[in-house]
Amino acid sequence: MNGTSRSDIYAGLEVQIVLKEDQRTGNLTKGIVKDLLTKSATHPHGIKVRLESGDVGRVKEIL
């Protein structure tokens, strides 16, 4: 599961996201999903989420 399908992601799920400022480096940030921000069913670069820490980014990996 790579995080491009909204149906695979829900609040409370542990994921790795890439933050906007880390898109060039590809650094991943681990956290727990708080909110789903992408409205469409799928997104080629990953569903955008807000973590409980407040970080916002696109899901790259579901743990």
Side-chain angles (χ1 to χ4, degrees), residues 11 17-19 57:
I17 65 169
V18 63
L19 303 173

Side-chain angles (χ1 to χ4, degrees), residues 7-54:
S7 61
D8 294 338
I9 300 166
Y10 51 88
L13 190 64
E14 188 175 22
V15 295
Q16 298 243 56
I17 65 169
V18 63
L19 303 173
K20 182 78 172 171
E21 58 268 23
D22 291 337
Q23 283 177 348
R24 288 179 187 271
T25 62
N27 285 346
L28 296 178
T29 303
K30 188 185 318 194
I32 306 292
V33 175
K34 182 179 179 188
D35 302 308
L36 278 73
L37 303 177
T38 299
K39 298 296 181 211
S40 60
T42 62
H43 192 285
H45 301 298
I47 300 299
K48 190 178 278 187
V49 297
R50 179 180 294 115
L51 301 181
E52 289 179 349
S53 63

Side-chain angles (χ1 to χ4, degrees), residues 1-3 15-18 28 44-46 58-62:
M1 299 215 274
N2 57 8
V15 295
Q16 298 243 56
I17 65 169
V18 63
L28 296 178
H45 301 298
R58 295 199 181 274
V59 176
K60 291 300 175 189
E61 191 177 348
I62 298 173

